[in-house]
Every structure is written in C-alpha cells, then in structure tokens.
Amino acid sequence: MFLLSVKNFRFWFSCFIIVLSVTLATAHLLSHPPVSEQGIFVSQNDAEAYCRSFLSSHGWTTAPDPPEVTNLLIPEFFDDVFSAYNVLQLSQGYDLTPLQGKTLKKYVFKIVDYPGRSVEGSVIANILMNNGEIVGGDICSLRLDGFMHGFSELIENEHDQTG
C-alpha cells in the first residue's frame, strides 16, 4: 500500500508540474505582445507613426485623421491584376510573391498635398505591412480618371488643377 501511494504521489506531482508549466507558459505568451521576425514589436500606434514617417520621407503629407486599417489576403496564385500590382511593387524594391497566401495589414492614409488635386481625400496612400515591416504599397487616386504609382513617383495631371 505504501509503494502504491508513493507511485500515485509521483504521478500526480508530475502531472501537477506539467499543468503548472503549461499554464505559466500560456500566461506568459498571452501577457507579452507578439514580436516580428526581427524581434521588434510594433503596436498599432507605432505602425501608424512609422507609416506616416515613411510617407513623409517620400515627400507626402498625410491628413491628421487616423488611417483605415484592414487585413488584406495576398492570394496564393496571382491573377492578372495582382501580377500587374506586383510589377509596381518590384519597381520600388518590394516583392509580394514570398507573401502569397498570407494576410497583411493594409493602412490607408489620405494625402493632402498631391499637386493638382485640391479635393482632399481624392488621393490616398496604401501601405502594406507584414510583422511591422513595410512590404509594399502605392499612391493612388480614388477618382474615375485616377492613377496609381509607387511611393516616390509623381504623376502631374495638368488638366486637373481644380480637383
């Protein structure tokens, strides 16, 4: 009887230690924010500030209102539209091909200083982020006669001075 009690004690004590370890590890993971592959945590506010700084470094001024943030699923297989969009990304040093099948964060900022466009909100910047890093994006017009180009390009539309 005594040996059986010791065996049961060791078994239950081992189970208790395992359950306690799993519980503590889970609590630790839940209480600490996720990190990117480089080990740098980027909160929502930090990501917004980083994107604004990035756009500013390319000469763009954004509206002070918060950006629209959505999830964007990059398809596993590119159709003609995504292939053309990836050509734009390649021209600015990004490549969406390794991100096929992944969900990215898409930040949309209103550009307030686009030359020749006086209607605020008609030009936006789309920034794609993965694990706190900018992995692509564009500057585009929301108008029917719109355009899309990379972050550093500028398309001057001389007949559109009134917006």
Side-chain angles (χ1 to χ4, degrees):
M1 218 37 160
F2 181 75
L3 290 175
L4 184 61
S5 296
V6 170
K7 284 184 178 179
N8 280 339
F9 174 75
R10 286 183 183 164
F11 172 76
W12 290 112
F13 183 73
S14 297
C15 289
F16 173 74
I17 294 298
I18 291 170
V19 169
L20 181 63
S21 298
V22 169
T23 303
L24 291 175
T26 303
H28 177 74
L29 289 174
L30 292 177
S31 67
H32 289 76
V35 295
S36 70
E37 293 173 358
Q38 288 71 33
I40 302 169
F41 172 71
V42 180
S43 70
Q44 181 71 27
N45 291 336
D46 291 341
E48 179 182 334
Y50 178 57
C51 290
R52 286 184 193 278
S53 173
F54 174 81
L55 290 170
S56 178
S57 74
H58 287 279
W60 304 112
T61 304
T62 57
D65 46 331
E68 176 186 331
V69 182
T70 58
N71 290 324
L72 175 68
L73 175 64
I74 304 297
E76 288 190 36
F77 303 101
F78 286 171
D79 59 7
D80 291 341
V81 173
F82 257 94
S83 292
Y85 190 70
N86 198 45
V87 168
L88 171 65
Q89 300 314 307
L90 291 168
S91 73
Q92 36 182 18
Y94 302 110
D95 185 7
L96 298 177
T97 306
L99 301 170
Q100 289 175 295
K102 293 188 178 185
T103 301
L104 308 179
K105 287 285 185 193
K106 177 182 167 188
Y107 292 80
V108 179
F109 295 86
K110 293 178 185 172
I111 300 294
V112 297
D113 62 346
Y114 199 92
R117 301 284 173 151
S118 62
V119 179
E120 187 172 326
S122 69
V123 178
I124 60 170
N126 295 300
I127 296 183
L128 306 178
M129 292 188 83
N130 183 40
N131 294 323
E133 288 187 55
I134 295 175
V135 295
D138 60 81
I139 305 293
C140 67
S141 170
L142 299 176
R143 297 175 47 144
L144 289 176
D145 63 341
F147 57 83
M148 179 183 288
H149 60 75
F151 295 119
S152 296
E153 299 172 46
L154 176 64
I155 295 177
E156 301 210 19
N157 194 346
E158 308 226 352
H159 71 276
D160 189 17
Q161 296 298 319
T162 61

